[in-house]
Amino acid sequence: MTESVYKIIELVGSSEKSWEDAMKNLIDEASKTLRDLRIAEVVEMDVKIDKNKIVLYRVRARLSFKYEGK
Amino acid sequence: MTESVYKIIELVGSSEKSWEDAMKNLIDEASKTLRDLRIAEVVEMDVKIDKNKIVLYRVRARLSFKYEGK
Amino acid sequence: MTESVYKIIELVGSSEKSWEDAMKNLIDEASKTLRDLRIAEVVEMDVKIDKNKIVLYRVRARLSFKYEGK
Amino acid sequence: MTESVYKIIELVGSSEKSWEDAMKNLIDEASKTLRDLRIAEVVEMDVKIDKNKIVLYRVRARLSFKYEGK
Amino acid sequence: MTESVYKIIELVGSSEKSWEDAMKNLIDEASKTLRDLRIAEVVEMDVKIDKNKIVLYRVRARLSFKYEGK
Amino acid sequence: MTESVYKIIELVGSSEKSWEDAMKNLIDEASKTLRDLRIAEVVEMDVKIDKNKIVLYRVRARLSFKYEGK
Amino acid sequence: MTESVYKIIELVGSSEKSWEDAMKNLIDEASKTLRDLRIAEVVEMDVKIDKNKIVLYRVRARLSFKYEGK
Amino acid sequence: MTESVYKIIELVGSSEKSWEDAMKNLIDEASKTLRDLRIAEVVEMDVKIDKNKIVLYRVRARLSFKYEGK
Amino acid sequence: MTESVYKIIELVGSSEKSWEDAMKNLIDEASKTLRDLRIAEVVEMDVKIDKNKIVLYRVRARLSFKYEGK
Amino acid sequence: MTESVYKIIELVGSSEKSWEDAMKNLIDEASKTLRDLRIAEVVEMDVKIDKNKIVLYRVRARLSFKYEGK
Amino acid sequence: MTESVYKIIELVGSSEKSWEDAMKNLIDEASKTLRDLRIAEVVEMDVKIDKNKIVLYRVRARLSFKYEGK
Amino acid sequence: MTESVYKIIELVGSSEKSWEDAMKNLIDEASKTLRDLRIAEVVEMDVKIDKNKIVLYRVRARLSFKYEGK
C-alpha cells in the first residue's frame, strides 16, 4: 500500500435547484485543480432566502486530495 | 452598520417529496409572520416511514429574524 | 400525511422531589398554552444546592408543537 | 402504553440519483427483515466521486425497531 | 488479562414510572439473550406525552457484551 | 424553593466596538420585554467584515426567563 | 459584585436506589470539604449490572466552588 | 456503481501490547463472520490498569459491512 | 525533551469590566499556587445580569501545570 | 444568484491587547491575499502566559472566500 | 455494592517513543499518589515537533480514583 | 511577543506499521514546504483493511504554521 499524505479542505458549493446540485457544482469547481477526488463529506447545509423564497441551496463539504506541498 | 438584535428559532418542516421541498414549506410558513429572513441552517434531517415507505421528509432548521420583544 | 410546520422550544422545569417530577411540572406548565405535545427530550439535568442539601432537581427539555406564527 | 424495548442500528444507503433515493434504498432493504420501522434519522451524508463526477449519493441513518434478542 | 472482543449496541427501554424503571426494563429484556452485561451508559432520555400527561419515560442506553460473530 | 418553569431563548447582539458591547446591546433589548434576566451564556461569536475592516462584533447568547405561556 | 475565582471539578456518585440518590450521596461527600456549593450539573449517567440486575445507579457531575489555591 | 446497503457496528478490541495490536485482534475476530471489511475507524481508546500497571490497551472502532438482513 | 506529567484544571474568573479582565483575574489567582503556567484556553463565557445590567463578565478556562501528586 | 464556490480556512490571530484586536490583526493579514471577506467566526480563544502575566490574546477563526483553485 | 464517591482528573503524559509509552509514564506518575486506578481514557493525542522531527508523543487522559476530600 | 498570524491545516498520514509512524510520515511530508512546525494534534485515526489484514494505519492531524498569504 502506498503511504501518501493527503490534505483535507472544506469548500462551499451552491445551486438554485437542490443540495445535490450544489454538491455537483462544488465537485466541478474542485476538479479543475485537484486530482483524484474520491469522497466529499457533507459538513453543513443551509439555504439563502430572498423575498420569502429559497434562492440558493448551499452545502459545505470536506474533500481530501493528494498533498504536494502548500 | 446597524446594531440590531436578532432572535434564533428552530422550526421543523416536512414534505412528501424531498428535503428541499420540506425546507420550502418551512420557509413559506415562517414567512407569514417573520420578516426579512435571509438564511436557514439545517440542524437535523429525518424521514417518517409507514408500511415500509417514506411518507414524509422532514428538516429541522435554524432561522434568525429581527427581534422585537417576546 | 400532513405537511405541518412545527416549532422547537426549550423549557426548564424543576421539582423538590426528582427529575421525573421536574419534567412533569414542565409539561403541566407547557400544556396550558401549547397543544398536542407528544415528546419532550432531556437536554440537560442539574440540581440546586443550599446548605449542603439538594433543594431543586432541574431538567432542561426540548418540546415541539404546531407552529402558528411567532 | 406498552413498555417494549427497541434497538437502534445504523445503516448506509446509496443511490446514483439523490440522497432521498439513497434513503429510500436503505428503507427498502431494511424493511425486508425489520418490522414496524417508523423513523430514520440522517447521521451523515457524503458522495462518492469517480473521474470528477458524483457516482453515488450516500446517507448514513439511524433506525429503531422492536428488539427480540440479539 | 483476556483479549476478548466486545460489541456495543444501543437499546431503548421505557416505563410508565421512571427513567430508573425504564433502564431496568431494558436490562431485563437484554439479559434474555446477552450474557455478562456489566455497564449500561445513558445516551438519551425523553418522555412520551399524551393528553398533557407523561405516559412513558424512555432511556436510550449503550451496552457492551462479548462478541461471538454477527 | 419555587418550582417555576423557565424558557430558554437565543438572541444575537452586535456592536461596532467589542463583543462585550454586543452583549450589552443584546441585554438592553431583551430587558425591554423579559423580566428578571440573570445569566446570558455565549453560544457563538463572529465579526462582520466590510472593505477589509471589522464593522460589527456579534455574539449569540442563550438567555432564560420565567415562562408564562407561549 | 465580587470577582472571586472558582474551580470546576467532576465527581462520580452512586446509589443502589436511583440517580437522584446517587447525586445526593455525591453532594454529601463533597460537602465535607467544599464550601458553598450551589449547582451540580449532570455530565453522564450509567448503571452497573450484576447477574442481570442493576446494582448501582451512577451519576458524574460537575461542581464549582471557591478556589483557594491548588 | 452498486447501490448496496451497509451496516455500521462498533466493536471493542484489546491487547496487552499496544492499541495497534488491539485493533488487529478486533479485525481478526470480526473477519470470522463479516466479509469484505475495508475500514475501521477509532471511536475511543483507553487502558485497563491493575496494580499500577497497564494490563490492556483497548480500542473501540466502527466497522461497516454489507447488510444482509438483521 | 523532558517527559513530565501535566495536570489539567478548569477555573472560572470574573470581572466587572471585560472577559479579558476576567481572564487576567483568573491567571492572577492561579499564579499564587501554580508554577509555570503557559496557556489558558477559554472553555465557556457568560455574563451575570442584575437589574438589566451586566454586573460580571465570566470566563471558564482550562489550564495545565506540572503535576506533583494530588 | 451566483453559484460560486467558496473555500473555508482557519487562521489564528494574536494581540497583546484583547481578543478583538487579535481578530483585527487576523483580518488585516488575511486581507492582503484574500478578497471579499465578509464573516469570520470564532472557533477558539486562548491566552499565552509568561511570568504570570497574559502576553498574548489569541483567536482561531474560520473565514470563507471565493475559491479559485488550490 | 459500595456507594463510594470518585473524582475525575485529567493528566497529560509524554514520551519520546510512542503514545503507549506516554500513557505508561502518565500512569507511573499518577500511581505515586492515587490509589486503586483502574481505567484511563484517552481524551486527546498530539506530538511536539522540533526541527521537523517528532520529539514527544503526548496523551491527555481521564482518570478516576476514590475521592477523599479536596 | 510577536503578533504573527498562523494558518491551521489538516493532513492525513499513513503507514504500514503504526499510528506513530503514520504521524512521522505526515510530518516528513509537511516539513518539505512548511516551516517551523511545532505541534500536530490528532483529529482522527483509522485503519485500512484488505483480505482481513490491516494494510495501513492512518492518522488525520491538525497543524499550524506561519501564514504568508494564501
Side-chain angles (χ1 to χ4, degrees), chain A residues 10-12 14-16 25 33 55-56 60, chain J residues 1-8 67 69-70:
Chain A
E10 287 189 7
L11 299 179
V12 179
S14 54
S15 156
E16 296 178 12
N25 289 341
T33 48
V55 290
L56 276 184
R60 178 146 71 97
Chain J
M1 295 298 285
T2 69
E3 296 188 344
S4 305
V5 171
Y6 287 82
K7 183 172 176 182
I8 309 284
Y67 177 69
K70 189 164 48 170

mmCIF file with all atom_site columns, all heavy atoms in Angstrom, chain A residues 10-12 14-16 25 33 55-56 60, chain J residues 1-8 67 69-70:
data_model
loop_
_atom_site.group_PDB
_atom_site.id
_atom_site.type_symbol
_atom_site.label_atom_id
_atom_site.label_alt_id
_atom_site.label_comp_id
_atom_site.label_asym_id
_atom_site.label_entity_id
_atom_site.label_seq_id
_atom_site.pdbx_PDB_ins_code
_atom_site.Cartn_x
_atom_site.Cartn_y
_atom_site.Cartn_z
_atom_site.occupancy
_atom_site.B_iso_or_equiv
_atom_site.pdbx_formal_charge
_atom_site.auth_seq_id
_atom_site.auth_comp_id
_atom_site.auth_asym_id
_atom_site.auth_atom_id
_atom_site.pdbx_PDB_model_num
ATOM 1   N N   . GLU A 1 10 ? -12.110 22.308 3.070   1.00 0.00 ? 10 GLU A N   1
ATOM 2   C CA  . GLU A 1 10 ? -13.563 22.477 3.088   1.00 0.00 ? 10 GLU A CA  1
ATOM 3   C C   . GLU A 1 10 ? -13.984 23.529 2.071   1.00 0.00 ? 10 GLU A C   1
ATOM 4   O O   . GLU A 1 10 ? -13.458 24.640 2.063   1.00 0.00 ? 10 GLU A O   1
ATOM 5   C CB  . GLU A 1 10 ? -14.045 22.898 4.486   1.00 0.00 ? 10 GLU A CB  1
ATOM 6   C CG  . GLU A 1 10 ? -13.979 21.745 5.471   1.00 0.00 ? 10 GLU A CG  1
ATOM 7   C CD  . GLU A 1 10 ? -14.641 22.053 6.795   1.00 0.00 ? 10 GLU A CD  1
ATOM 8   O OE1 . GLU A 1 10 ? -15.280 23.118 6.913   1.00 0.00 ? 10 GLU A OE1 1
ATOM 9   O OE2 . GLU A 1 10 ? -14.533 21.224 7.698   1.00 0.00 ? 10 GLU A OE2 1
ATOM 10  N N   . LEU A 1 11 ? -14.937 23.152 1.227   1.00 0.00 ? 11 LEU A N   1
ATOM 11  C CA  . LEU A 1 11 ? -15.472 24.079 0.227   1.00 0.00 ? 11 LEU A CA  1
ATOM 12  C C   . LEU A 1 11 ? -16.978 24.212 0.424   1.00 0.00 ? 11 LEU A C   1
ATOM 13  O O   . LEU A 1 11 ? -17.623 23.328 0.986   1.00 0.00 ? 11 LEU A O   1
ATOM 14  C CB  . LEU A 1 11 ? -15.202 23.552 -1.189  1.00 0.00 ? 11 LEU A CB  1
ATOM 15  C CG  . LEU A 1 11 ? -13.737 23.356 -1.589  1.00 0.00 ? 11 LEU A CG  1
ATOM 16  C CD1 . LEU A 1 11 ? -13.658 22.795 -3.021  1.00 0.00 ? 11 LEU A CD1 1
ATOM 17  C CD2 . LEU A 1 11 ? -12.957 24.665 -1.496  1.00 0.00 ? 11 LEU A CD2 1
ATOM 18  N N   . VAL A 1 12 ? -17.520 25.325 -0.049  1.00 0.00 ? 12 VAL A N   1
ATOM 19  C CA  . VAL A 1 12 ? -18.965 25.535 -0.015  1.00 0.00 ? 12 VAL A CA  1
ATOM 20  C C   . VAL A 1 12 ? -19.457 25.676 -1.447  1.00 0.00 ? 12 VAL A C   1
ATOM 21  O O   . VAL A 1 12 ? -18.996 26.555 -2.180  1.00 0.00 ? 12 VAL A O   1
ATOM 22  C CB  . VAL A 1 12 ? -19.314 26.820 0.773   1.00 0.00 ? 12 VAL A CB  1
ATOM 23  C CG1 . VAL A 1 12 ? -20.832 27.036 0.790   1.00 0.00 ? 12 VAL A CG1 1
ATOM 24  C CG2 . VAL A 1 12 ? -18.759 26.753 2.180   1.00 0.00 ? 12 VAL A CG2 1
ATOM 25  N N   . SER A 1 14 ? -22.953 25.891 -4.154  1.00 0.00 ? 14 SER A N   1
ATOM 26  C CA  . SER A 1 14 ? -24.335 26.352 -4.077  1.00 0.00 ? 14 SER A CA  1
ATOM 27  C C   . SER A 1 14 ? -25.052 26.125 -5.403  1.00 0.00 ? 14 SER A C   1
ATOM 28  O O   . SER A 1 14 ? -24.423 25.936 -6.445  1.00 0.00 ? 14 SER A O   1
ATOM 29  C CB  . SER A 1 14 ? -24.380 27.833 -3.701  1.00 0.00 ? 14 SER A CB  1
ATOM 30  O OG  . SER A 1 14 ? -23.586 28.568 -4.579  1.00 0.00 ? 14 SER A OG  1
ATOM 31  N N   . SER A 1 15 ? -26.370 26.106 -5.336  1.00 0.00 ? 15 SER A N   1
ATOM 32  C CA  . SER A 1 15 ? -27.173 25.863 -6.533  1.00 0.00 ? 15 SER A CA  1
ATOM 33  C C   . SER A 1 15 ? -28.570 26.420 -6.308  1.00 0.00 ? 15 SER A C   1
ATOM 34  O O   . SER A 1 15 ? -29.074 26.445 -5.191  1.00 0.00 ? 15 SER A O   1
ATOM 35  C CB  . SER A 1 15 ? -27.281 24.356 -6.784  1.00 0.00 ? 15 SER A CB  1
ATOM 36  O OG  . SER A 1 15 ? -28.440 24.050 -7.537  1.00 0.00 ? 15 SER A OG  1
ATOM 37  N N   . GLU A 1 16 ? -29.215 26.825 -7.379  1.00 0.00 ? 16 GLU A N   1
ATOM 38  C CA  . GLU A 1 16 ? -30.598 27.294 -7.260  1.00 0.00 ? 16 GLU A CA  1
ATOM 39  C C   . GLU A 1 16 ? -31.582 26.134 -7.198  1.00 0.00 ? 16 GLU A C   1
ATOM 40  O O   . GLU A 1 16 ? -32.755 26.332 -6.909  1.00 0.00 ? 16 GLU A O   1
ATOM 41  C CB  . GLU A 1 16 ? -30.940 28.193 -8.455  1.00 0.00 ? 16 GLU A CB  1
ATOM 42  C CG  . GLU A 1 16 ? -30.099 29.463 -8.489  1.00 0.00 ? 16 GLU A CG  1
ATOM 43  C CD  . GLU A 1 16 ? -30.407 30.320 -9.710  1.00 0.00 ? 16 GLU A CD  1
ATOM 44  O OE1 . GLU A 1 16 ? -31.421 30.034 -10.390 1.00 0.00 ? 16 GLU A OE1 1
ATOM 45  O OE2 . GLU A 1 16 ? -29.634 31.257 -9.982  1.00 0.00 ? 16 GLU A OE2 1
ATOM 46  N N   . ASN A 1 25 ? -21.861 21.191 -8.282  1.00 0.00 ? 25 ASN A N   1
ATOM 47  C CA  . ASN A 1 25 ? -21.115 22.411 -8.644  1.00 0.00 ? 25 ASN A CA  1
ATOM 48  C C   . ASN A 1 25 ? -19.797 22.503 -7.876  1.00 0.00 ? 25 ASN A C   1
ATOM 49  O O   . ASN A 1 25 ? -18.774 22.910 -8.424  1.00 0.00 ? 25 ASN A O   1
ATOM 50  C CB  . ASN A 1 25 ? -21.960 23.656 -8.354  1.00 0.00 ? 25 ASN A CB  1
ATOM 51  C CG  . ASN A 1 25 ? -23.121 23.778 -9.327  1.00 0.00 ? 25 ASN A CG  1
ATOM 52  O OD1 . ASN A 1 25 ? -23.104 23.155 -10.405 1.00 0.00 ? 25 ASN A OD1 1
ATOM 53  N ND2 . ASN A 1 25 ? -24.130 24.554 -8.966  1.00 0.00 ? 25 ASN A ND2 1
ATOM 54  N N   . THR A 1 33 ? -8.651  21.827 -10.291 1.00 0.00 ? 33 THR A N   1
ATOM 55  C CA  . THR A 1 33 ? -7.272  21.907 -9.796  1.00 0.00 ? 33 THR A CA  1
ATOM 56  C C   . THR A 1 33 ? -6.854  20.726 -8.918  1.00 0.00 ? 33 THR A C   1
ATOM 57  O O   . THR A 1 33 ? -5.678  20.529 -8.696  1.00 0.00 ? 33 THR A O   1
ATOM 58  C CB  . THR A 1 33 ? -7.063  23.197 -8.969  1.00 0.00 ? 33 THR A CB  1
ATOM 59  O OG1 . THR A 1 33 ? -8.123  23.321 -8.030  1.00 0.00 ? 33 THR A OG1 1
ATOM 60  C CG2 . THR A 1 33 ? -7.051  24.410 -9.879  1.00 0.00 ? 33 THR A CG2 1
ATOM 61  N N   . VAL A 1 55 ? -33.384 31.059 -2.584  1.00 0.00 ? 55 VAL A N   1
ATOM 62  C CA  . VAL A 1 55 ? -32.691 31.423 -3.821  1.00 0.00 ? 55 VAL A CA  1
ATOM 63  C C   . VAL A 1 55 ? -31.421 30.608 -4.049  1.00 0.00 ? 55 VAL A C   1
ATOM 64  O O   . VAL A 1 55 ? -30.916 30.527 -5.165  1.00 0.00 ? 55 VAL A O   1
ATOM 65  C CB  . VAL A 1 55 ? -32.373 32.933 -3.871  1.00 0.00 ? 55 VAL A CB  1
ATOM 66  C CG1 . VAL A 1 55 ? -33.663 33.726 -4.050  1.00 0.00 ? 55 VAL A CG1 1
ATOM 67  C CG2 . VAL A 1 55 ? -31.634 33.382 -2.621  1.00 0.00 ? 55 VAL A CG2 1
ATOM 68  N N   . LEU A 1 56 ? -30.882 30.021 -2.985  1.00 0.00 ? 56 LEU A N   1
ATOM 69  C CA  . LEU A 1 56 ? -29.698 29.167 -3.132  1.00 0.00 ? 56 LEU A CA  1
ATOM 70  C C   . LEU A 1 56 ? -29.699 28.049 -2.093  1.00 0.00 ? 56 LEU A C   1
ATOM 71  O O   . LEU A 1 56 ? -29.928 28.299 -0.903  1.00 0.00 ? 56 LEU A O   1
ATOM 72  C CB  . LEU A 1 56 ? -28.398 29.968 -2.925  1.00 0.00 ? 56 LEU A CB  1
ATOM 73  C CG  . LEU A 1 56 ? -27.799 30.755 -4.081  1.00 0.00 ? 56 LEU A CG  1
ATOM 74  C CD1 . LEU A 1 56 ? -26.467 31.382 -3.628  1.00 0.00 ? 56 LEU A CD1 1
ATOM 75  C CD2 . LEU A 1 56 ? -27.555 29.900 -5.318  1.00 0.00 ? 56 LEU A CD2 1
ATOM 76  N N   . ARG A 1 60 ? -21.682 22.715 2.588   1.00 0.00 ? 60 ARG A N   1
ATOM 77  C CA  . ARG A 1 60 ? -20.265 22.787 2.941   1.00 0.00 ? 60 ARG A CA  1
ATOM 78  C C   . ARG A 1 60 ? -19.766 21.362 3.016   1.00 0.00 ? 60 ARG A C   1
ATOM 79  O O   . ARG A 1 60 ? -20.367 20.522 3.687   1.00 0.00 ? 60 ARG A O   1
ATOM 80  C CB  . ARG A 1 60 ? -20.075 23.502 4.281   1.00 0.00 ? 60 ARG A CB  1
ATOM 81  C CG  . ARG A 1 60 ? -18.645 23.577 4.744   1.00 0.00 ? 60 ARG A CG  1
ATOM 82  C CD  . ARG A 1 60 ? -18.325 24.848 5.517   1.00 0.00 ? 60 ARG A CD  1
ATOM 83  N NE  . ARG A 1 60 ? -18.926 24.898 6.817   1.00 0.00 ? 60 ARG A NE  1
ATOM 84  C CZ  . ARG A 1 60 ? -18.335 24.564 7.955   1.00 0.00 ? 60 ARG A CZ  1
ATOM 85  N NH1 . ARG A 1 60 ? -17.089 24.137 7.936   1.00 0.00 ? 60 ARG A NH1 1
ATOM 86  N NH2 . ARG A 1 60 ? -18.952 24.655 9.095   1.00 0.00 ? 60 ARG A NH2 1
ATOM 87  N N   . MET J 1 1  ? -29.080 34.502 -8.586  1.00 0.00 ? 1  MET J N   1
ATOM 88  C CA  . MET J 1 1  ? -27.994 34.359 -7.612  1.00 0.00 ? 1  MET J CA  1
ATOM 89  C C   . MET J 1 1  ? -26.808 33.639 -8.248  1.00 0.00 ? 1  MET J C   1
ATOM 90  O O   . MET J 1 1  ? -26.981 32.689 -8.988  1.00 0.00 ? 1  MET J O   1
ATOM 91  C CB  . MET J 1 1  ? -28.443 33.543 -6.405  1.00 0.00 ? 1  MET J CB  1
ATOM 92  C CG  . MET J 1 1  ? -29.525 34.185 -5.571  1.00 0.00 ? 1  MET J CG  1
ATOM 93  S SD  . MET J 1 1  ? -29.007 35.756 -4.829  1.00 0.00 ? 1  MET J SD  1
ATOM 94  C CE  . MET J 1 1  ? -27.918 35.209 -3.504  1.00 0.00 ? 1  MET J CE  1
ATOM 95  N N   . THR J 1 2  ? -25.598 34.055 -7.889  1.00 0.00 ? 2  THR J N   1
ATOM 96  C CA  . THR J 1 2  ? -24.429 33.367 -8.420  1.00 0.00 ? 2  THR J CA  1
ATOM 97  C C   . THR J 1 2  ? -24.239 32.049 -7.697  1.00 0.00 ? 2  THR J C   1
ATOM 98  O O   . THR J 1 2  ? -24.628 31.895 -6.552  1.00 0.00 ? 2  THR J O   1
ATOM 99  C CB  . THR J 1 2  ? -23.148 34.198 -8.227  1.00 0.00 ? 2  THR J CB  1
ATOM 100 O OG1 . THR J 1 2  ? -22.867 34.235 -6.822  1.00 0.00 ? 2  THR J OG1 1
ATOM 101 C CG2 . THR J 1 2  ? -23.336 35.609 -8.718  1.00 0.00 ? 2  THR J CG2 1
ATOM 102 N N   . GLU J 1 3  ? -23.644 31.089 -8.414  1.00 0.00 ? 3  GLU J N   1
ATOM 103 C CA  . GLU J 1 3  ? -23.436 29.764 -7.817  1.00 0.00 ? 3  GLU J CA  1
ATOM 104 C C   . GLU J 1 3  ? -21.946 29.527 -7.578  1.00 0.00 ? 3  GLU J C   1
ATOM 105 O O   . GLU J 1 3  ? -21.425 28.447 -7.823  1.00 0.00 ? 3  GLU J O   1
ATOM 106 C CB  . GLU J 1 3  ? -24.030 28.687 -8.723  1.00 0.00 ? 3  GLU J CB  1
ATOM 107 C CG  . GLU J 1 3  ? -25.548 28.816 -8.870  1.00 0.00 ? 3  GLU J CG  1
ATOM 108 C CD  . GLU J 1 3  ? -26.179 27.655 -9.605  1.00 0.00 ? 3  GLU J CD  1
ATOM 109 O OE1 . GLU J 1 3  ? -25.451 26.904 -10.272 1.00 0.00 ? 3  GLU J OE1 1
ATOM 110 O OE2 . GLU J 1 3  ? -27.404 27.494 -9.505  1.00 0.00 ? 3  GLU J OE2 1
ATOM 111 N N   . SER J 1 4  ? -21.243 30.532 -7.073  1.00 0.00 ? 4  SER J N   1
ATOM 112 C CA  . SER J 1 4  ? -19.807 30.432 -6.834  1.00 0.00 ? 4  SER J CA  1
ATOM 113 C C   . SER J 1 4  ? -19.478 29.361 -5.800  1.00 0.00 ? 4  SER J C   1
ATOM 114 O O   . SER J 1 4  ? -20.329 28.967 -5.009  1.00 0.00 ? 4  SER J O   1
ATOM 115 C CB  . SER J 1 4  ? -19.276 31.762 -6.307  1.00 0.00 ? 4  SER J CB  1
ATOM 116 O OG  . SER J 1 4  ? -19.606 32.798 -7.183  1.00 0.00 ? 4  SER J OG  1
ATOM 117 N N   . VAL J 1 5  ? -18.215 28.928 -5.824  1.00 0.00 ? 5  VAL J N   1
ATOM 118 C CA  . VAL J 1 5  ? -17.722 28.002 -4.818  1.00 0.00 ? 5  VAL J CA  1
ATOM 119 C C   . VAL J 1 5  ? -16.801 28.771 -3.866  1.00 0.00 ? 5  VAL J C   1
ATOM 120 O O   . VAL J 1 5  ? -15.990 29.584 -4.304  1.00 0.00 ? 5  VAL J O   1
ATOM 121 C CB  . VAL J 1 5  ? -16.990 26.810 -5.468  1.00 0.00 ? 5  VAL J CB  1
ATOM 122 C CG1 . VAL J 1 5  ? -16.296 25.955 -4.424  1.00 0.00 ? 5  VAL J CG1 1
ATOM 123 C CG2 . VAL J 1 5  ? -17.992 25.972 -6.256  1.00 0.00 ? 5  VAL J CG2 1
ATOM 124 N N   . TYR J 1 6  ? -16.983 28.550 -2.563  1.00 0.00 ? 6  TYR J N   1
ATOM 125 C CA  . TYR J 1 6  ? -16.175 29.219 -1.548  1.00 0.00 ? 6  TYR J CA  1
ATOM 126 C C   . TYR J 1 6  ? -15.284 28.214 -0.837  1.00 0.00 ? 6  TYR J C   1
ATOM 127 O O   . TYR J 1 6  ? -15.605 27.031 -0.760  1.00 0.00 ? 6  TYR J O   1
ATOM 128 C CB  . TYR J 1 6  ? -17.070 29.931 -0.523  1.00 0.00 ? 6  TYR J CB  1
ATOM 129 C CG  . TYR J 1 6  ? -17.690 31.161 -1.117  1.00 0.00 ? 6  TYR J CG  1
ATOM 130 C CD1 . TYR J 1 6  ? -18.836 31.061 -1.919  1.00 0.00 ? 6  TYR J CD1 1
ATOM 131 C CD2 . TYR J 1 6  ? -17.119 32.415 -0.939  1.00 0.00 ? 6  TYR J CD2 1
ATOM 132 C CE1 . TYR J 1 6  ? -19.390 32.177 -2.520  1.00 0.00 ? 6  TYR J CE1 1
ATOM 133 C CE2 . TYR J 1 6  ? -17.665 33.546 -1.531  1.00 0.00 ? 6  TYR J CE2 1
ATOM 134 C CZ  . TYR J 1 6  ? -18.795 33.416 -2.321  1.00 0.00 ? 6  TYR J CZ  1
ATOM 135 O OH  . TYR J 1 6  ? -19.321 34.529 -2.908  1.00 0.00 ? 6  TYR J OH  1
ATOM 136 N N   . LYS J 1 7  ? -14.168 28.713 -0.320  1.00 0.00 ? 7  LYS J N   1
ATOM 137 C CA  . LYS J 1 7  ? -13.273 27.862 0.469   1.00 0.00 ? 7  LYS J CA  1
ATOM 138 C C   . LYS J 1 7  ? -13.255 28.369 1.906   1.00 0.00 ? 7  LYS J C   1
ATOM 139 O O   . LYS J 1 7  ? -13.319 29.575 2.141   1.00 0.00 ? 7  LYS J O   1
ATOM 140 C CB  . LYS J 1 7  ? -11.852 27.915 -0.113  1.00 0.00 ? 7  LYS J CB  1
ATOM 141 C CG  . LYS J 1 7  ? -10.884 26.982 0.613   1.00 0.00 ? 7  LYS J CG  1
ATOM 142 C CD  . LYS J 1 7  ? -9.540  26.892 -0.066  1.00 0.00 ? 7  LYS J CD  1
ATOM 143 C CE  . LYS J 1 7  ? -8.578  26.022 0.749   1.00 0.00 ? 7  LYS J CE  1
ATOM 144 N NZ  . LYS J 1 7  ? -7.255  25.963 0.127   1.00 0.00 ? 7  LYS J NZ  1
ATOM 145 N N   . ILE J 1 8  ? -13.207 27.430 2.849   1.00 0.00 ? 8  ILE J N   1
ATOM 146 C CA  . ILE J 1 8  ? -13.148 27.766 4.268   1.00 0.00 ? 8  ILE J CA  1
ATOM 147 C C   . ILE J 1 8  ? -11.720 27.557 4.764   1.00 0.00 ? 8  ILE J C   1
ATOM 148 O O   . ILE J 1 8  ? -11.154 26.481 4.548   1.00 0.00 ? 8  ILE J O   1
ATOM 149 C CB  . ILE J 1 8  ? -14.041 26.814 5.098   1.00 0.00 ? 8  ILE J CB  1
ATOM 150 C CG1 . ILE J 1 8  ? -15.454 26.712 4.525   1.00 0.00 ? 8  ILE J CG1 1
ATOM 151 C CG2 . ILE J 1 8  ? -14.042 27.216 6.569   1.00 0.00 ? 8  ILE J CG2 1
ATOM 152 C CD1 . ILE J 1 8  ? -16.322 27.873 4.803   1.00 0.00 ? 8  ILE J CD1 1
ATOM 153 N N   . TYR J 1 67 ? -13.360 30.677 -4.067  1.00 0.00 ? 67 TYR J N   1
ATOM 154 C CA  . TYR J 1 67 ? -12.383 29.654 -4.390  1.00 0.00 ? 67 TYR J CA  1
ATOM 155 C C   . TYR J 1 67 ? -11.972 29.759 -5.849  1.00 0.00 ? 67 TYR J C   1
ATOM 156 O O   . TYR J 1 67 ? -12.816 29.786 -6.737  1.00 0.00 ? 67 TYR J O   1
ATOM 157 C CB  . TYR J 1 67 ? -13.001 28.284 -4.122  1.00 0.00 ? 67 TYR J CB  1
ATOM 158 C CG  . TYR J 1 67 ? -12.125 27.112 -4.467  1.00 0.00 ? 67 TYR J CG  1
ATOM 159 C CD1 . TYR J 1 67 ? -10.983 26.839 -3.714  1.00 0.00 ? 67 TYR J CD1 1
ATOM 160 C CD2 . TYR J 1 67 ? -12.430 26.284 -5.531  1.00 0.00 ? 67 TYR J CD2 1
ATOM 161 C CE1 . TYR J 1 67 ? -10.180 25.748 -4.022  1.00 0.00 ? 67 TYR J CE1 1
ATOM 162 C CE2 . TYR J 1 67 ? -11.637 25.190 -5.835  1.00 0.00 ? 67 TYR J CE2 1
ATOM 163 C CZ  . TYR J 1 67 ? -10.510 24.928 -5.075  1.00 0.00 ? 67 TYR J CZ  1
ATOM 164 O OH  . TYR J 1 67 ? -9.728  23.837 -5.373  1.00 0.00 ? 67 TYR J OH  1
ATOM 165 N N   . GLY J 1 69 ? -9.303  27.671 -7.359  1.00 0.00 ? 69 GLY J N   1
ATOM 166 C CA  . GLY J 1 69 ? -8.266  26.642 -7.479  1.00 0.00 ? 69 GLY J CA  1
ATOM 167 C C   . GLY J 1 69 ? -7.443  26.592 -6.207  1.00 0.00 ? 69 GLY J C   1
ATOM 168 O O   . GLY J 1 69 ? -7.603  27.437 -5.331  1.00 0.00 ? 69 GLY J O   1
ATOM 169 N N   . LYS J 1 70 ? -6.580  25.614 -6.101  1.00 0.00 ? 70 LYS J N   1
ATOM 170 C CA  . LYS J 1 70 ? -5.853  25.371 -4.855  1.00 0.00 ? 70 LYS J CA  1
ATOM 171 C C   . LYS J 1 70 ? -5.061  26.585 -4.398  1.00 0.00 ? 70 LYS J C   1
ATOM 172 O O   . LYS J 1 70 ? -4.786  26.780 -3.238  1.00 0.00 ? 70 LYS J O   1
ATOM 173 C CB  . LYS J 1 70 ? -4.894  24.188 -5.027  1.00 0.00 ? 70 LYS J CB  1
ATOM 174 C CG  . LYS J 1 70 ? -4.264  23.731 -3.728  1.00 0.00 ? 70 LYS J CG  1
ATOM 175 C CD  . LYS J 1 70 ? -3.645  22.351 -3.859  1.00 0.00 ? 70 LYS J CD  1
ATOM 176 C CE  . LYS J 1 70 ? -2.773  22.222 -5.097  1.00 0.00 ? 70 LYS J CE  1
ATOM 177 N NZ  . LYS J 1 70 ? -1.990  20.992 -5.133  1.00 0.00 ? 70 LYS J NZ  1
#
